[in-house]
Amino acid sequence: MGVREYQSLTPYATALEENWGKPPGNLNSDGENLLVYGKQYGNVFIGVQPTFGYEGDPMRLLFSKSASPHHGFAAYYSFVEKIFNADTVLHFGTHGSLEFMPGKQVGMSDVCYPDSLIGNIPNVYYYAANNPSEATIAKRRSYANTISYLTPPAENAGLYKGLKQLSELISSYQSLKDTGRGPQIVSSIISTAKQCNLDKDVELPDEGEEIPAKERDLVVGKVYSKIMEIESRLLPCGLHVIGEPPSAMEAVATLVNIAALNRPEDGISSLPTILAETVGQNIEEVYRGSDKGILKDVELLRQITEASRGAISAFVERTTNKKGQVVDVTNKLSSILGFGINEPWVQYLSNTKFYRADREKLRTLFQFLGECLKLVVADNELGSLKQALEGKYVEPGPGGDPIRNPKKADNGGKYPETIALVLWGTDNIKTYGESLAQVLWMIGVKPVADTFGRVNRVEPVSLEELGRPRIDVVVNCSGVFRDLFINQMNLLDRAVKMVAELDEPADQNYVRKHALEQAEALGIDVREAATRVFSNASGSYSSNINLAVENSSWNDENQLQDMYLSRKSFAFDCDAPGAGMMEKRQVFEMVLSTADATFQNLDSSEISLTDVSHYFDSDPTNLVQNLRKDKKKPSAYIADTTTANAQVRTLSETVRLDARTKLLNPKWYEGMMSSGYEGVREIEKRLTNTVGWSATSGQVDNWVYEEANSTFIQDEEMLNRLISTNPNSFRKLLQTFLEANGRGYWETSQENIEKLRQLYSEVEDKIEGIDR
């Protein structure tokens, strides 16, 4: 597209010159013309949406509080609307850049970039069903008609290599522990656990150390508990294909997780609860015992998990046809239910130690699971698209996770004075405000509902009832949270300021203690000093650290931290309604400098710490260390509420768990490889996100990179598959390994580095078509 044509078709082109200079610019252009990437098939044009335009320019990332689309981006949408004359555009695949361009949060005007870009084209958008908050942004800011697609079927991570060997050793220990072979098997368990790098997660005695018989069970129990946690973690297998619903058996793992949660409001007991009661146990106590590594509890939990999977598989088998598809669940359920002994789950359990399970409770649960199964395998992805393209109404479907308490005696047994938290839009929708409740409880206030059941105010919990000091919090909200939950930000800001003004001793009210110190230092009043709710400037999203890491366009960690501070230091103020977000960087830095701990929530088994770049993009761990006077690194925690047995783990523990269950797990990477070129990109993306965690938190162990290198580079067969499936993503994978080493995050042999460099130049030649 020539510059003249571009300018005549794009009335807002001059507004982009402030950020990008005169067209055509150097993005999506050949220096003279603007280039639109895509290919036409008859009356369908398939195009690639341009990027934000920050690649290779760390300074633009660093200083850009907001920005505008570049000329190439604008030319793309002008082409689609005015040259190709599209009747409609289909955005494909969750979270594009159009809806995150600067502009108002709601009620777009013609000077808001999403409005200018989309013009008058009807916008149909395939969006993941588990991301309702960002889908709302796409609806509000780009007028999208969203059509949900299912997440990939989830499976249990399973065990492989040394972890599998460990599991076998534990089984033989249980049957032979009272014979003379017990001590010998325990020492094999310890050395194998060390080879599997489990010594960071479990305290293990030195090899060859004499272990008293009583303590042997505990050592084995702790290792057993850890590998059970890895084995039963859910992971998406491969990628979802539009219009291909999961088979019923693929849905079993999802149903097992659904069945693991008590739903008292619906009168439904969880399957683990019912099974534990059968043998006279309380499931919560079994979970706690298993977490501590008490062998009998770990073993009972394994039996409960196995029986849950078996009973649900038996149920699902009876609801499918010969092809393994679920058809007519309701009628099949009616014929299964009500015959007592013939119910498939009862038949299965009759051969286990849980044969006395309460029939009535099971029936209520399985009736609910039948409804869930219908939803999980429902398939209207193509049907809804067809309706939208015909200009018809598309009925809304449910959004959220298909499946659905900080504790740790660190910090020398003292309460942290300040915790830095991240609040996400999607998570709060899925968990009904779980992380809002955490913030309120930390500062010691409780929500008060009005006559309609809405929470518009809070009241302090007395120090006597609280039984501990009020913890100061600095809350960093994602841009999406800011857009969707402005009332909740108002509530949090009012709550913190109320607590700061309570007449209480400083050692019992850290919010007040810090607000008084900060008010004095900055010469402002206590209410302003107690500002604790921060996000981006209105209409702006993300700290851009993720973009810098993905494009390798940063020099050092200080630069990343500067980006975080300049983009995330906009405060919400309940005393200035309607004023929007105001920059308060000094207060932000001062309160972050008092943080002893950082904290994020994980609420979905499908999206974890290294699946997307947003988690490390929001992580302030290294930044807090840099701001603290004593340069002490804060403790970093992740609360995992993806299962009924909710856990709070350290960040490094969670990164290790993620690496074991996904990046290094054959079940995960083979599932990805079966999806072809896009699967290789997913593997590369996960390694890039791992480097992101090294950059923002320094909490990635060396062995994670070492094992990834042996899995994807040292294994000749895997290496050749990656190169032939997607040479471009493989080149990026090599670049990421070399970058991890160059930035000091991965120590390895010179031989490994030489091999990576040599491979890099070979792949470069292959991509350029050079045959040496």
Side-chain angles (χ1 to χ4, degrees):
M1 190 191 290
V3 170
R4 278 224 168 116
E5 184 180 21
Y6 160 69
Q7 287 171 322
S8 70
L9 296 176
T10 317
Y12 57 94
T14 48
L16 313 186
E17 292 179 13
E18 182 193 348
N19 276 307
W20 299 99
K22 295 273 183 209
N26 57 1
L27 291 161
N28 292 49
S29 94
D30 59 7
E32 286 179 26
N33 303 291
L34 290 136
L35 307 175
V36 175
Y37 301 137
K39 195 168 167 65
Q40 195 165 336
Y41 299 86
N43 65 347
V44 174
F45 168 72
I46 297 182
V48 181
Q49 186 184 54
T51 61
F52 271 108
Y54 295 123
E55 311 78 297
D57 188 350
M59 289 303 126
R60 184 182 290 283
L61 277 171
L62 199 55
F63 299 115
S64 156
K65 289 200 173 55
S66 70
S68 67
H70 54 82
H71 294 295
F73 205 106
Y76 179 88
Y77 280 94
S78 292
F79 168 84
V80 170
E81 181 178 15
K82 292 170 180 167
I83 295 176
F84 180 68
N85 291 323
D87 295 314
T88 180
V89 61
L90 168 65
H91 282 99
F92 199 104
T94 304
H95 193 95
S97 19
L98 168 74
E99 62 270 25
F100 286 98
M101 284 294 169
K104 286 195 292 173
Q105 293 167 22
V106 279
M108 297 291 108
S109 71
D110 60 354
V111 293
C112 295
Y113 289 115
D115 182 284
S116 306
L117 289 160
I118 197 65
N120 295 313
I121 326 172
N123 180 9
V124 179
Y125 205 150
Y126 264 135
Y127 227 90
N130 68 346
N131 196 346
S133 62
E134 289 186 1
T136 305
I137 303 284
K139 287 168 186 268
R140 285 178 178 179
R141 304 187 87 241
S142 64
Y143 317 115
N145 180 355
T146 55
I147 295 166
S148 300
Y149 61 83
L150 278 173
T151 52
E155 281 186 35
N156 296 104
L159 299 174
Y160 53 92
K161 296 182 185 164
L163 297 170
K164 202 168 193 173
Q165 200 183 332
L166 260 180
S167 174
E168 286 156 8
L169 281 168
I170 291 167
S171 295
S172 55
Y173 172 77
Q174 286 180 294
S175 52
L176 300 169
K177 68 176 181 177
D178 297 327
T179 69
R181 291 203 45 211
Q184 189 189 341
I185 299 172
V186 173
S187 65
S188 301
I189 288 173
I190 292 168
S191 64
T192 312
K194 284 185 177 168
Q195 284 161 15
C196 294
N197 301 295
L198 285 177
D199 47 338
K200 292 267 176 64
D201 299 285
V202 180
E203 268 185 61
L204 295 169
D206 294 332
E207 287 178 56
E209 190 184 312
E210 189 75 20
I211 306 164
K214 271 186 191 166
E215 284 173 33
R216 287 202 287 265
D217 272 12
L218 196 59
V219 171
V220 174
K222 281 181 175 168
V223 174
Y224 194 7
S225 174
K226 187 44 92 181
I227 62 171
M228 283 292 301
E229 177 180 55
I230 296 168
E231 189 276 335
S232 60
R233 197 164 177 81
L234 278 194
L235 57 96
C237 273
L239 298 163
H240 176 63
V241 177
I242 297 279
E244 280 188 19
S247 74
M249 290 322 281
E250 282 176 332
V252 166
T254 304
L255 287 182
V256 169
N257 262 35
I258 291 172
L261 297 174
N262 280 310
R263 297 169 201 273
E265 67 281 8
D266 300 318
I268 297 169
S269 295
S270 76
L271 193 47
T273 300
I274 298 169
L275 298 179
E277 282 170 358
T278 312
V279 291
Q281 297 284 335
N282 173 321
I283 192 65
E284 287 302 321
E285 285 168 18
V286 176
Y287 286 147
R288 297 299 149 255
S290 174
D291 290 347
K292 288 180 189 145
I294 294 163
L295 191 57
K296 66 177 179 52
D297 286 325
V298 184
E299 178 59 23
L300 177 59
L301 188 53
R302 186 192 63 79
Q303 292 168 347
I304 287 173
T305 308
E306 222 161 77
S308 299
R309 287 178 197 164
I312 287 171
S313 301
F315 159 63
V316 168
E317 272 169 22
R318 288 274 288 275
T319 57
T320 55
N321 62 13
K322 290 192 177 91
K323 288 185 188 164
Q325 296 160 317
V326 173
V327 275
D328 201 12
V329 175
T330 317
N331 284 351
K332 285 210 163 86
L333 260 178
S334 314
S335 66
I336 292 171
L337 288 166
F339 293 108
I341 200 73
N342 287 335
E343 293 169 350
W345 50 90
V346 173
Q347 278 180 327
Y348 175 84
L349 292 173
S350 65
N351 298 317
T352 68
K353 70 193 290 183
F354 307 106
Y355 62 92
R356 286 210 183 106
D358 185 311
R359 297 270 169 86
E360 209 40 58
K361 284 183 179 174
L362 285 171
R363 191 171 301 160
T364 309
L365 171 66
F366 276 90
Q367 223 155 2
F368 171 70
L369 292 179
E371 294 304 310
C372 295
L373 183 59
K374 273 196 293 193
L375 291 170
V376 170
V377 297
D379 173 25
N380 198 23
E381 292 169 341
L382 292 172
S384 293
L385 174 62
K386 190 164 167 283
Q387 275 175 288
L389 294 178
E390 287 170 353
K392 292 179 179 166
Y393 177 68
V394 179
E395 193 179 327
D401 191 9
I403 299 153
R404 211 18 238 138
N405 313 344
K407 53 161 185 58
K408 284 270 172 180
D410 291 348
N411 203 36
K414 294 200 300 281
Y415 282 100
E417 290 201 9
T418 306
I419 295 180
L421 282 103
V422 178
L423 293 185
W424 296 89
T426 302
D427 297 20
N428 275 288
I429 288 177
K430 289 179 190 171
T431 62
Y432 303 98
E434 197 170 79
S435 44
L436 293 173
Q438 290 167 344
V439 176
L440 296 179
W441 191 241
M442 284 172 193
I443 61 174
V445 301
K446 59 183 174 196
V448 180
D450 64 15
T451 48
F452 296 105
R454 293 173 308 200
V455 173
N456 290 318
R457 63 190 191 86
V458 290
E459 61 185 32
V461 175
S462 70
L463 285 171
E464 291 73 37
E465 191 186 331
L466 207 54
R468 59 159 172 83
R470 300 186 194 278
I471 312 295
D472 198 357
V473 290
V474 53
V475 177
N476 213 306
C477 306
S478 69
V480 174
F481 186 96
R482 172 205 62 208
D483 289 0
L484 298 185
F485 295 115
I486 205 81
N487 293 345
Q488 285 72 11
M489 286 170 76
N490 185 20
L491 193 72
L492 292 179
D493 193 49
R494 279 181 11 227
V496 177
K497 286 173 177 168
M498 174 202 291
V499 167
E501 291 178 328
L502 292 173
D503 185 10
E504 291 175 341
D507 64 344
Q508 289 300 300
N509 183 336
Y510 297 136
V511 184
R512 181 166 177 76
K513 175 186 171 183
H514 298 149
L516 288 168
E517 290 167 0
Q518 287 149 14
E520 192 177 340
L522 298 171
I524 53 179
D525 66 29
V526 171
R527 270 186 88 76
E528 190 181 345
T531 298
R532 296 291 184 266
V533 181
F534 295 89
S535 184
N536 295 72
S538 303
S540 154
Y541 300 84
S542 153
S543 72
N544 283 352
I545 289 173
N546 56 348
L547 294 171
V549 168
E550 283 160 17
N551 297 311
S552 306
S553 56
W554 54 288
N555 303 329
D556 57 30
E557 288 175 11
N558 286 346
Q559 205 178 49
L560 296 181
Q561 291 165 17
D562 239 13
M563 282 161 64
Y564 191 99
L565 289 169
S566 67
R567 287 185 62 86
K568 302 295 284 187
S569 57
F570 291 80
F572 180 87
D573 185 359
C574 65
D575 297 334
M581 307 297 289
M582 288 174 281
E583 188 166 22
K584 291 194 181 170
R585 181 160 167 170
Q586 278 185 303
V587 180
F588 187 46
E589 287 190 27
M590 281 191 85
V591 69
L592 276 175
S593 73
T594 63
D596 302 295
T598 63
F599 188 78
Q600 289 198 50
N601 283 294
L602 264 190
D603 67 280
S604 159
S605 48
E606 198 227 336
I607 299 174
S608 189
L609 285 192
T610 53
D611 287 277
V612 290
S613 57
H614 300 73
Y615 284 112
F616 74 76
D617 181 70
S618 302
D619 172 58
T621 308
N622 280 356
L623 167 61
V624 168
Q625 179 178 13
N626 212 11
L627 291 172
R628 282 182 67 102
K629 289 191 182 77
D630 58 7
K631 298 296 177 216
K632 177 173 160 270
K633 197 179 204 97
S635 309
Y637 297 113
I638 302 288
D640 180 346
T641 56
T642 56
T643 62
N645 184 15
Q647 300 282 331
V648 174
R649 301 186 185 91
T650 62
L651 174 56
S652 57
E653 229 180 318
T654 313
V655 171
R656 288 194 290 271
L657 182 60
D658 230 34
R660 287 184 175 117
T661 51
K662 289 184 177 168
L663 184 66
L664 307 174
N665 182 353
K667 199 168 185 178
W668 181 82
Y669 59 72
E670 287 300 344
M672 284 301 164
M673 292 298 287
S674 67
S675 301
Y677 75 94
E678 182 63 13
V680 180
R681 198 177 77 91
E682 287 287 328
I683 293 169
E684 172 272 304
K685 200 169 81 179
R686 183 165 296 277
L687 188 71
T688 301
N689 291 342
T690 305
V691 170
W693 279 111
S694 288
T696 62
S697 72
Q699 303 275 311
V700 184
D701 297 330
N702 201 64
W703 67 262
V704 172
Y705 293 114
E706 201 63 26
E707 292 276 316
N709 183 59
S710 15
T711 303
F712 301 110
I713 309 296
Q714 303 291 353
D715 179 331
E716 285 296 321
E717 190 198 342
M718 174 55 85
L719 179 74
N720 294 328
R721 283 167 69 196
L722 292 165
I723 293 176
S724 56
T725 310
N726 185 339
N728 286 290
S729 284
F730 183 67
R731 174 174 60 178
K732 178 77 169 83
L733 187 77
L734 294 169
Q735 185 190 328
T736 306
F737 273 121
L738 288 166
E739 189 180 346
N741 173 256
R743 294 192 187 276
Y745 301 144
W746 172 38
E747 283 177 35
T748 191
S749 66
Q750 201 46 42
E751 195 185 335
N752 277 343
I753 298 301
E754 286 310 319
K755 176 163 187 177
L756 289 164
R757 284 184 184 138
Q758 184 195 338
L759 279 168
Y760 190 89
S761 76
E762 285 170 20
V763 175
E764 191 97 277
D765 290 349
K766 181 182 165 100
I767 291 169
E768 301 293 337
I770 301 167
D771 198 7
R772 287 186 196 267

